[in-house]
Amino acid sequence: MSTFSSVAEQICNNCGHSPIFEESYTLYADLLTNPDFLNQATFLSVDIETTGLEASAAIIEIAAVKYQAGKVIGEFSSLVNPHRPIPSFIENLTGINNQMVATAPPITQVLTDFLTFADFPNTILLAHNARFDTRFLMLACQQAGFTWPTPASIDTVLFSRAVLPKPMVANHRLSTLAQHFQISTPQAHRALADAYTCLTLFHHLLQLSAKTPIPPEVFTVLSAEDVWD
């Protein structure tokens, strides 16, 4: 079996025979076989901040950076009113406090604006721990009565584990990888700053991947059934 066929089979096992499988397979195939793909594709580096890690937590910030052919072509950033107090540890981590979100728009309005900007599925979602961001966004869409467009995605956590395994780095947190690649992070744990860091990290990982095959699970896309375990 050829390497590409083996990879295709792994993607099939991960995603199933579905439109999501087709998107993941196509994305992987383009990266392997189309030398102009990175210049032709539009990437959307996404990051969110929340009131916690559990499924019941609320989104308090959404940001995204749209990137095509070596240039940033747009950015989106908005605080979200969670209609609940922000825990002190989240305030200390992100710098986002109750006063800042008191006059912010509700999640339904921010989601509407974000999805319009994102232009899924015409863009490829890029995120560090994409499973976290995607699940919160899907759950928010579900609660708002919106349809999540299930975009093809690339997870830079999984990507970094493949091309930069331990002990080359202590862990695969965004801050650790940013330090490893000397990426400036003036506002870590704010969504727009982290989205820019993720995008820069992606470029560094692509350079490393010239010598290391990209594993197919990097491109796994969550479906509506995977909102939360």
Side-chain angles (χ1 to χ4, degrees):
M1 179 180 290
S2 69
T3 301
F4 184 78
S5 297
S6 177
V7 165
E9 183 177 347
Q10 291 178 60
I11 295 177
C12 181
N13 291 335
N14 287 340
C15 302
H17 291 285
S18 67
I20 293 171
F21 157 71
E22 296 295 341
E23 290 174 7
S24 301
Y25 178 87
T26 301
L27 174 58
Y28 196 89
D30 283 339
L31 277 170
L32 283 179
T33 63
N34 183 355
D36 295 322
F37 175 74
L38 291 176
N39 289 324
Q40 295 170 349
T42 302
F43 295 91
L44 191 78
S45 183
V46 176
D47 189 76
I48 65 170
E49 303 299 333
T50 66
T51 59
L53 302 178
E54 66 282 357
S56 59
I59 295 173
I60 57 175
E61 188 173 39
I62 301 176
V65 180
K66 191 175 288 187
Y67 182 88
Q68 184 182 56
K71 296 180 181 178
V72 171
I73 59 174
E75 63 180 44
F76 174 91
S77 181
S78 178
L79 290 169
V80 180
N81 188 336
H83 297 289
R84 69 180 74 177
I86 296 176
S88 58
F89 79 95
I90 294 295
E91 180 179 342
N92 292 334
L93 179 68
T94 65
I96 301 172
N97 58 40
N98 292 315
Q99 185 177 0
M100 292 169 63
V101 299
T103 57
I107 187 61
T108 51
Q109 180 180 333
V110 177
L111 272 178
T112 299
D113 295 341
F114 167 73
L115 291 173
T116 299
F117 173 79
D119 192 29
F120 297 135
N122 297 315
T123 54
I124 297 167
L125 188 151
L126 179 69
H128 199 72
N129 192 5
R131 194 173 184 83
F132 175 86
D133 300 86
T134 304
R135 282 182 159 183
F136 270 103
L137 289 169
M138 284 196 300
L139 182 60
C141 282
Q142 186 182 82
Q143 293 171 342
F146 299 160
T147 300
W148 176 249
T150 59
S153 67
I154 295 175
D155 189 334
T156 53
V157 167
L158 300 178
F159 197 171
S160 65
R161 287 174 182 169
V163 301
L164 197 66
K166 294 179 180 181
M168 296 175 70
V169 289
N171 57 63
H172 296 90
R173 296 173 186 155
L174 187 61
S175 58
T176 302
L177 295 167
Q179 184 176 15
H180 177 82
F181 288 111
Q182 299 182 327
I183 302 170
S184 176
T185 55
Q187 282 189 303
H189 297 293
R190 287 300 302 269
L192 186 60
D194 284 356
Y196 270 105
T197 300
C198 179
L199 180 61
T200 306
L201 171 63
F202 177 56
H203 283 276
H204 284 286
L205 296 176
L206 282 173
Q207 293 175 359
L208 291 179
S209 70
K211 298 180 180 180
T212 306
I214 307 172
E217 58 267 23
V218 171
F219 308 101
T220 300
V221 183
L222 296 179
S223 69
E225 291 74 27
D226 296 316
V227 170
W228 220 270
D229 290 335

